[in-house]
Amino acid sequence: MVRIARFLAIVAIGLLAATERVSAFEVRCIEASRYQHLVRLFDGDIKKFAAYLNWPAGQLPRPQYCRAALIEGPLKDRTDIAKVMNIIGENHGWLAALYLRSGGGKVFVGVNTGVLARSFWLKTYAAAQRNGVMEYQPDFAIPPPDHLPASESMPANSPTAAGWEAYRASIAKLPPIKMTGGEMFCASACTQIHAGGIDRIGISRVHRAHNSSNKTLGQMDEGLTGTDDFLVAYYKYMDAGPDFMRMYLMTASQIVTPLPINRHSRHMADLFITKCGADGDQLTRLEKQIEASNADFKFLNTFYGPSIDLDRLHRMAGHVRMRRIAVEQCMAAINERERLTAFTGLCPKGCDRKQLDALIAKKLVDIRKTSH
């Protein structure tokens, strides 16, 4: 057990060091998320896009606006928070998601940016990569099944297979977002941004806070205990889930524990089930289980001949995927209206940084009160 713990600690430190090779904090548009590309999912018809997400009458994004931004690098100071504010303001409410690649940094930057994300109703993703290139997936739709069940048709205005093909052809011409300096992770203070998302996808890597200042052991212990109490209150406010908070407190500051974060707060999850008729995460898990069973039976067939009929599994997977498409569309439309309303309320005549700073500060004071 001691050897395993030491091995995990060495691996964890190596992972964080690899992430931190991105030396400066950067916020940039994900080119594949510009609306001029996303509209190809809807045969180039912005009205179909508007109908799919139930945009308010007369509100349409400009083609060059970004729907998603990538955040990279260590969280150091208030200028990092300002960079996130700037990209939100530049896209006038049409920015919907933050992709996160950071080994962490300053707690105050993480919690300030997390409250900013929640205030503007943004989704957060722990960024993923394949073959050294960042993967971007539109946040509002999933591709149709390879074989559409005969008894079903695509939900109204949903992107079709042809739409997905047109979109992929469009973004194939873009330069890929190459990931240098190791793998992609959202760890430490980055998880505070991730927790702030209204819809959270991907794995966070958590650990207790640490302090490198020249203080006595007693002062360090008292200060870190206060930080832990505050961060537990913060994660509770963001409703990251009891498992998330428990593992945060259980993980030493020298290592990290990778774990999923609840996709939605409990009350939002309840609302989506009521409004959309199903739990999107449950459908996702069910589809993965069917796919795994299909792979297992296919493997058996290679040894014993085609003794197991896989057509039924294919049909079941198709039915579940079609249900997911409808549920994800419903949830995306609810999120869309809330985000656009939030932006209008917070930035009626442009985003005022001082006012946003004051809003965030007030929310953090309220959270801190609950930690005592």
Side-chain angles (χ1 to χ4, degrees):
M1 290 298 292
V2 174
R3 289 181 179 178
I4 293 174
R6 288 176 179 171
F7 172 76
L8 291 175
I10 293 171
V11 170
I13 292 170
L15 294 180
L16 291 175
T19 306
E20 289 302 343
R21 289 173 194 161
V22 182
S23 59
F25 184 88
E26 299 178 2
V27 182
R28 52 175 161 157
C29 172
I30 297 174
E31 292 295 325
S33 79
R34 292 193 189 273
Y35 285 85
Q36 65 195 47
H37 301 298
L38 294 173
V39 73
R40 293 179 181 271
L41 288 164
F42 302 91
D43 305 317
D45 188 341
I46 195 67
K47 292 182 179 180
K48 288 184 179 180
F49 203 165
Y52 178 86
L53 286 177
N54 194 26
W55 288 336
Q59 291 191 37
L60 296 174
R62 293 181 180 178
Q64 71 272 22
Y65 283 170
C66 302
R67 188 168 176 90
L70 173 63
I71 292 178
E72 296 183 276
L75 314 178
K76 293 182 177 179
D77 53 46
R78 292 196 175 277
T79 61
D80 301 335
I81 306 167
K83 290 177 182 178
V84 181
M85 287 183 184
N86 288 342
I87 200 165
I88 292 172
E90 290 166 0
N91 289 282
H92 298 276
W94 296 100
L95 187 78
L98 299 176
Y99 279 67
L100 308 171
R101 183 201 185 199
S102 173
K106 300 294 186 182
V107 168
F108 82 89
V109 178
V111 296
N112 273 261
T113 308
V115 171
L116 183 70
R118 178 61 61 91
S119 299
F120 281 94
W121 212 261
L122 300 181
K123 303 172 184 180
T124 51
Y125 290 72
Q129 70 169 352
R130 179 173 297 184
N131 299 323
V133 174
M134 199 207 83
E135 290 187 312
Y136 168 71
Q137 170 69 37
D139 65 280
F140 51 84
I142 56 175
D146 294 332
H147 302 287
L148 192 67
S151 61
E152 298 184 39
S153 59
M154 291 292 290
N157 300 308
S158 294
T160 62
W164 280 98
E165 185 177 347
Y167 169 72
R168 289 167 180 150
S170 178
I171 65 172
K173 302 172 185 177
L174 300 174
I177 301 178
K178 294 183 178 179
M179 297 291 100
T180 58
E183 296 291 329
M184 302 183 71
F185 298 101
C186 178
S188 190
C190 177
T191 65
Q192 291 138 32
I193 305 177
H194 196 187
I198 198 66
D199 190 334
R200 303 167 293 213
I201 303 294
I203 300 295
S204 278
R205 288 162 167 79
V206 301
H207 65 76
R208 291 196 296 272
H210 60 84
N211 191 324
S212 59
S213 61
N214 295 321
K215 295 182 178 180
T216 67
L217 291 178
Q219 289 171 329
M220 287 178 58
D221 182 58
E222 183 178 355
L224 289 173
T225 299
T227 300
D228 282 344
D229 290 344
F230 168 71
L231 286 177
V232 168
Y234 173 83
Y235 289 132
K236 183 178 181 180
Y237 175 82
M238 296 301 181
D239 205 357
D243 291 341
F244 192 92
M245 290 185 286
R246 183 175 67 254
M247 291 310 301
Y248 163 76
L249 289 173
M250 290 176 62
T251 305
S253 60
Q254 297 86 356
I255 63 174
V256 292
T257 297
L259 72 160
I261 187 169
N262 286 359
R263 181 177 177 184
H264 304 111
S265 69
R266 290 164 294 173
H267 301 303
M268 284 299 298
D270 291 346
L271 181 145
F272 285 139
I273 293 172
T274 300
K275 296 285 187 180
C276 303
D279 183 332
D281 270 1
Q282 185 181 46
L283 291 172
T284 300
R285 291 192 296 270
L286 179 58
E287 185 176 2
K288 288 180 178 179
Q289 289 169 358
I290 295 172
E291 289 174 352
S293 298
N294 182 56
D296 290 341
F297 289 136
K298 186 175 181 180
F299 176 77
L300 289 174
N301 279 354
T302 62
F303 286 94
Y304 302 105
S307 56
I308 302 174
D309 183 4
L310 301 181
D311 287 343
R312 187 174 181 181
L313 277 177
H314 286 306
R315 290 194 299 272
M316 289 172 61
H319 283 297
V320 174
R321 173 62 67 90
M322 292 297 293
R323 186 71 181 124
R324 277 187 64 204
I325 288 172
V327 170
E328 290 291 338
Q329 176 182 358
C330 174
M331 293 193 298
I334 292 172
N335 274 329
E336 199 79 357
R337 298 287 295 220
E338 291 293 333
R339 191 190 71 254
L340 293 172
T341 300
F343 184 85
T344 300
L346 293 170
C347 301
K349 297 181 180 179
C351 295
D352 185 305
R353 180 178 170 184
K354 289 184 178 179
Q355 290 182 0
L356 292 177
D357 282 338
L359 170 71
I360 294 170
K362 183 181 183 305
K363 287 191 176 182
L364 289 176
V365 167
D366 292 340
I367 292 171
R368 188 173 293 279
K369 288 178 181 177
T370 67
S371 67
H372 297 300

